[in-house]
Amino acid sequence: MPIAGSEWICLHGLALMGALDDRHSLSPRIKALAGLGLAFTLAIPVAYAFALDRPVAMLMRLSIPTNPPYLTLPLLVLWFWAIPQSFNLIDGMDGLATGLALLIASFLLVGRGFTGTPFLLGALLATFLLNWPKAIHFLGDCGAYFLGGLLGLLALRTRAFEFPSLALWVFAYPILDMALVITIRFLRGRPLGAGDRNHLHHQWASLIGERWAVPLLWLEAAALAVGPTGFPGSSWVCWPALVLMLAQCAFFVRRSLQESEKTPG
């Protein structure tokens, strides 16, 4: 299903928001409101498309009616707001976000007949080679927001119409990372929009070094993403990977809280 002109405008709106943030450090409130407006605009046509294509969608074994469209609109608004934000949050180490984008695009598009697949994968591969192992080119907020929005949209425009849970599996790593930092900030009484180094990549880098943390997170993201592929034995990979990722998040929440207790003041 092709991406509509209005959707391209919204994706470039995300890029513009990121570019302004790169140059002028926008406040978290402004970014949240701007992202919410763009998310709402992106969600409307997808909600109508779901209503026409699938009156009932199965999401993690839950039956969700999609017609009328306003039934799924809140979930889709949340999706289009959270995915660009979460993708931007993981862009903290060389190659991490670009490698994940290449991985996600491969799972979503290869073999699906999407006309832009070779061009998108080629662009992502070129960007990845410039970003890892030693970055000479950076996504910045501009690139991260745009890529997160584009991949989030493609997830719903391609295979998610057949299997809506696919989107959650493919984006499980950035979603869990976002949940991790929000949990830690909440428990420590810090503003949710305040930056910190409690992300999974920062936590792992402090334990095993950045050189190994980035490939480890790619591997975990790939193990989660195989869930909806239907390959023999895929469920024996994705579910243990999910349990392991949740255990890591619980460990890092406890670790962060213990460190905060040791910090004076």
Side-chain angles (χ1 to χ4, degrees):
M1 186 177 297
I3 297 176
S6 60
E7 292 169 335
W8 280 116
I9 292 174
C10 289
L11 293 175
H12 284 85
L14 287 170
L16 176 60
M17 180 179 72
L20 292 173
D21 192 34
D22 285 330
R23 295 294 299 273
H24 303 291
S25 297
L26 301 177
S27 71
R29 179 174 296 180
I30 291 176
K31 288 187 290 185
L33 291 175
L36 189 61
L38 292 167
F40 186 81
T41 308
L42 282 167
I44 291 174
V46 177
Y48 275 93
F50 263 111
L52 293 173
D53 185 76
R54 286 187 173 272
V56 177
M58 293 297 297
L59 184 64
M60 293 298 182
R61 299 183 181 181
L62 296 176
S63 298
I64 300 177
T66 64
N67 197 0
Y70 63 76
L71 294 175
T72 55
L73 187 61
L75 288 175
L76 291 169
V77 171
L78 178 62
W79 174 262
F80 284 118
W81 179 84
I83 293 302
Q85 298 286 343
S86 64
F87 205 84
N88 184 52
L89 290 177
I90 68 167
D91 185 29
M93 289 185 178
D94 294 349
L96 180 58
T98 51
L100 181 64
L102 187 59
L103 173 73
I104 290 174
S106 299
F107 272 98
L108 292 177
L109 301 177
V110 172
R112 304 305 300 175
F114 191 74
T115 55
T117 297
F119 303 101
L120 178 58
L121 293 181
L124 289 174
L125 178 59
T127 307
F128 170 72
L129 294 176
L130 292 173
N131 196 242
W132 188 81
K134 184 67 175 177
I136 58 176
H137 174 79
F138 297 92
L139 288 178
D141 291 349
C142 176
Y145 279 129
F146 179 84
L147 269 182
L150 175 61
L151 294 173
L153 180 61
L154 288 175
L156 299 182
R157 283 294 193 185
T158 54
R159 297 181 64 188
F161 272 87
E162 304 169 10
F163 187 43
S165 297
L166 171 144
L168 295 179
W169 282 111
V170 173
F171 287 93
Y173 161 43
I175 291 172
L176 289 173
D177 182 78
M178 188 177 194
L180 170 67
V181 295
I182 288 175
T183 300
I184 292 175
R185 291 171 190 175
F186 176 78
L187 293 176
R188 295 179 64 174
R190 298 194 61 197
L192 297 183
D196 55 39
R197 296 181 64 83
N198 288 312
H199 299 279
L200 283 168
H201 53 273
H202 290 134
Q203 298 277 11
W204 275 117
S206 68
L207 293 176
I208 61 177
E210 182 174 339
R211 178 182 179 184
W212 300 107
V214 172
L216 172 65
L217 289 169
W218 288 337
L219 181 62
E220 290 188 317
L224 291 164
V226 301
T229 60
F231 291 146
S234 59
S235 61
W236 292 95
V237 176
C238 65
W239 285 106
L242 179 60
V243 172
L244 180 61
M245 183 71 81
L246 291 171
Q248 291 171 33
C249 290
F251 170 76
F252 288 134
V253 167
R254 181 180 179 185
R255 181 171 181 254
S256 179
L257 294 178
Q258 289 175 340
E259 290 177 351
S260 68
E261 292 174 357
K262 297 177 183 178
T263 303

